[in-house]
Amino acid sequence: MIEALTFVVILVLLFVMMSIKIVNQGYRYTVEHFGRFVRVADPGFNFVPAFFYRVGRKINMMEQVLDIPGQEIITKDNAMVAVDGVVFFQVLDPAKAAYEVSDLYTAILALSTTNLRTVMGSMDLDETLSKRDEINARLLSVVDHATEAWGVKITRVELKDIRPPADIVNAMTRQMKAEREKRAAILESEGMRASEILRAEGEKQAKILSAEGMKEAAFREAEARERAAQAEAAATKAVSDAIAGGNTQAINYFIAQKYVEALSQFATSPNAKTILFPVEATQLIGSLGGIGELAKAAFSDGPDKPAAPAKPRVVPGIPQA
């Protein structure tokens, strides 16, 4: 009897030990009852009756990384490029991840590879090299939508490397060099153009300032002539008034001034070869005195009184009649 009881206790202990399941943090276990899914065991202590229930799948709930192996892809412009990348995903529904797809990792890898070929095959080589962010976004959208039914969330898709052929790399290097030389030539020509424009602007400003200076000089000269004419008109008016008042000295001064001006014009004339006129100061004063006497006689005599005969004027160097 004691042996039977001991055997029963041992069986009970074995049953309990086999039924206790400890689930680690970051994992979920699916529990099956005679092959049918019934529930998900959460992290920690779980009692799963042995013989009647069993653990079906152990699902990793942490974010995982899956490498996309390198492969050659033909772009839209028939260029062959080698591409590899990585996929980051996380299981959100352990039941779907366990029973909706046969091999989750293989399915995600195949789906990422085929969509990578589709996306990059629809783009030119230059676009594949310069639009990595767009490629990653398109792959993320397509793969995440496809894996939603598997209870998986695709968090990120990244292309690690894109390797075009060596001849294309050389051609791109020459193209980049030619483009930089073109930019240098354009910048140099723009600099020369700016220099010529600045030089022309400087010459223009210089001419404008010169013209303004000539205009100002002409204005000043005209103003000076106008003032000289006004002064001469005032002097002439004063002389006229003096003559009208019977002042013989005024007409004497006026005639002497005109006489001197006439003599200076004769002296500066380029066509004059020989000029006969009194050059000594005493002779010039005598001539002016004679003219003054004539004017005095004219103003002193009345209109009815006959004028006295003028004395003949002796000019040295000229024979008298």
Side-chain angles (χ1 to χ4, degrees), residues 71-116:
Q71 54 185 319
E72 293 184 348
I73 299 176
I74 300 176
T75 61
K76 185 178 180 181
D77 53 352
N78 298 324
M80 185 75 68
V81 293
V83 183
D84 56 3
V86 291
V87 177
F88 296 83
F89 69 95
Q90 185 176 14
V91 177
L92 302 180
D93 191 339
K96 291 183 178 181
Y99 301 107
E100 295 295 335
V101 60
S102 176
D103 188 346
L104 180 62
Y105 297 99
T106 304
I108 294 176
L109 180 61
L111 187 63
S112 301
T113 302
T114 55
N115 282 280
L116 180 61

Side-chain angles (χ1 to χ4, degrees), residues 38-182:
V38 290
R39 67 183 181 88
V40 175
D42 295 327
F45 178 83
N46 290 271
F47 185 78
V48 180
F51 306 111
F52 302 101
Y53 295 89
R54 71 182 184 90
V55 175
R57 304 286 181 87
K58 298 179 179 181
I59 306 299
N60 187 351
M61 302 296 293
M62 296 178 288
E63 187 173 2
Q64 305 175 62
V65 181
L66 185 63
D67 285 331
I68 301 176
Q71 54 185 319
E72 293 184 348
I73 299 176
I74 300 176
T75 61
K76 185 178 180 181
D77 53 352
N78 298 324
M80 185 75 68
V81 293
V83 183
D84 56 3
V86 291
V87 177
F88 296 83
F89 69 95
Q90 185 176 14
V91 177
L92 302 180
D93 191 339
K96 291 183 178 181
Y99 301 107
E100 295 295 335
V101 60
S102 176
D103 188 346
L104 180 62
Y105 297 99
T106 304
I108 294 176
L109 180 61
L111 187 63
S112 301
T113 302
T114 55
N115 282 280
L116 180 61
R117 290 179 177 273
T118 302
V119 172
M120 296 190 65
S122 63
M123 304 174 69
D124 295 334
L125 177 61
D126 293 338
E127 293 178 340
T128 59
L129 296 176
S130 61
K131 297 183 179 180
R132 289 196 179 192
D133 293 338
E134 182 179 344
I135 296 174
N136 295 335
R138 292 175 61 180
L139 283 174
L140 177 62
S141 176
V142 174
V143 178
D144 182 58
H145 180 72
T147 57
E148 185 177 358
W150 303 340
V152 176
K153 173 65 177 177
I154 305 298
T155 58
R156 194 178 309 166
V157 179
E158 296 288 342
L159 297 180
K160 292 195 299 183
D161 192 15
I162 300 177
R163 299 179 298 276
D167 54 346
I168 295 180
V169 173
N170 295 332
M172 292 172 62
T173 303
R174 293 194 301 270
Q175 180 183 1
M176 180 183 64
K177 182 179 179 181
E179 185 68 23
R180 293 185 180 276
E181 291 178 352
K182 174 185 176 182

Side-chain angles (χ1 to χ4, degrees), residues 5-45:
L5 182 60
T6 302
F7 180 75
V8 172
V9 171
I10 292 174
L11 288 178
V12 171
L13 290 176
L14 288 175
F15 177 78
V16 172
M17 292 178 63
M18 293 176 62
S19 300
I20 294 174
K21 302 296 180 183
I22 304 298
V23 180
N24 296 326
Q25 184 67 36
Y27 287 84
R28 299 289 189 279
Y29 293 173
T30 60
V31 179
E32 299 176 355
H33 178 63
F34 295 111
R36 183 174 61 86
F37 169 76
V38 290
R39 67 183 181 88
V40 175
D42 295 327
F45 178 83

